[in-house]
């Protein structure tokens, strides 16, 4: 692909020197001293398509795919966070239902417990009785069901999030933020490229198509330098939106000793 790009650039550059030029090319260059590329219609169509319109189409398609991939990743991250919250709520609801069922199996709610014993304490006591001496209870079946439900509800209330899972979730959230920022940077870079170069290439294509149309030399020079200015914008845009680029520029301009950033932390 790199070889194809270089070959295309060479063909576009030297083709007018080997005859692919308009009839007024030599007069315009030698006598009028006007630096203007070949105005042959076929050449201009080939040159503008090869150097701008086809690459622009490829850039838009690829950047759109990158943007979609980043958006899907962000969507999955948000969906996973919502699902995790939903699971926590469901576990809490199941724990409450388990405690109520345990209390009902014991013959009443918290109001029927003697000496102010709470529902949670009573279900814990049933668990101990059931596991220690189930044959001493006159209501062995009820105790067994109650202890099982209370044990399940107690396990449901235990925290499920392992530190490793929390770390992984935090890492995925940071990755989603980075991808969102990268997609935004790509959109700005592409927009700046189109705004800077589109006027020049539209004018370059219209000049051979409409020879009778008047195009000011000043206007053409402004459009040309606007395209060159795109090369100035790109480092500025990357520096604004990328901590790695900012750190690299500080390192280049200020030297290694004044470097205060740590790339490992930024990534």
């Amino acid at each position: 692909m790199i070889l194809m790009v270089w070959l295309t650039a060479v063909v576009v550059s030297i083709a007018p020197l080997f005859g692919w030029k308009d009839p007024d090319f030599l007069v315009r260059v030698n006598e009028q001293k006007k630096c203007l590329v070949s105005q042959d219609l076929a050449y201009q169509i080939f040159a503008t398509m090869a150097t701008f319109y086809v690459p622009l189409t490829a850039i838009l398609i690829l950047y759109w795919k990158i943007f979609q991939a980043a958006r899907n990743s962000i969507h999955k991250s948000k969906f996973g966070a919502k699902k995790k919250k939903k699971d926590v709520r469901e576990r809490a609801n199941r724990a409450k239902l388990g405690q109520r069922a345990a209390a009902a199996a014991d013959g009443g709610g918290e109001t029927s417990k003697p000496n102010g014993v709470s529902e949670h304490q009573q279900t814990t006591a049933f668990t101990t009785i059931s596991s220690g001496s189930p044959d001493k209870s006159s209501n062995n079946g009820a105790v067994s069901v109650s202890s099982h439900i209370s044990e399940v509800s107690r396990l449901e209330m235990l925290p499920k999030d392992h530190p490793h899972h929390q770390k992984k979730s935090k890492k995925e959230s940071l990755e989603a933020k980075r991808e969102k920022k990268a997609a935004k940077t790509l959109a700005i870079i592409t927009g700046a490229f189109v705004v800077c170069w589109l006027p020049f290439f539209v004018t370059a294509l219209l000049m051979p198509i409409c020879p009778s149309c008047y195009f000011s030399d000043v206007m053409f020079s402004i459009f040309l330098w606007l395209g060159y200015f795109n090369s100035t914008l790109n480092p500025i845009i990357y520096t604004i939106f990328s901590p790695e680029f900012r750190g690299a520029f500080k390192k280049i301009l200020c030297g290694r000793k004044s470097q205060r950033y740590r790339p490992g932390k930024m990534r």
Side-chain angles (χ1 to χ4, degrees), residues 18 28-29 50 65 73 75 81 88 104 108 117 137 152 167 170 199 212 231 262 266:
F18 287 91
R28 184 172 61 252
V29 174
K65 288 183 176 293
S73 178
H75 176 73
V88 171
V117 179
S137 174
V152 171
K167 186 177 180 181
K170 185 177 180 181
S212 60
S231 298
R262 290 172 28 173
M266 294 181 181

Side-chain angles (χ1 to χ4, degrees), residues 75-191:
H75 176 73
K76 288 180 181 178
S77 178
K78 290 181 178 179
F79 179 77
K82 290 180 180 179
K83 188 175 183 298
K84 186 177 180 181
K85 290 180 180 179
K86 185 178 179 182
D87 292 341
V88 171
R89 288 197 299 267
E90 288 180 353
R91 287 202 299 268
N93 292 333
R94 286 197 297 268
K96 291 179 180 178
L97 291 175
Q99 289 180 353
R100 291 175 184 175
D106 188 41
E110 188 173 325
T111 56
S112 63
K113 303 293 184 291
N115 299 326
V117 179
S118 65
E119 180 180 337
H120 177 70
Q121 292 171 331
Q122 193 70 12
T123 53
T124 306
F126 274 125
T127 305
T128 306
I129 293 171
S130 176
S131 59
S133 55
D135 54 334
K136 293 181 181 181
S137 174
S138 59
N139 194 6
N140 194 20
V143 171
S144 177
V145 173
S146 175
S147 61
H148 174 72
I149 294 175
S150 61
E151 182 68 17
V152 171
S153 63
R154 186 174 65 84
L155 291 175
E156 287 288 344
M157 294 177 68
L158 292 176
K160 297 282 185 174
D161 293 335
H162 194 272
H164 176 70
H165 295 160
Q166 293 179 351
K167 186 177 180 181
K168 184 178 179 181
S169 177
K170 185 177 180 181
K171 183 179 179 181
E172 290 176 353
S173 177
L174 291 175
E175 288 294 330
K177 289 181 180 179
R178 288 193 63 193
E179 289 174 355
K180 185 177 181 180
K181 195 172 184 179
K184 183 179 179 181
T185 305
L186 284 177
I188 295 173
I189 288 289
T190 307

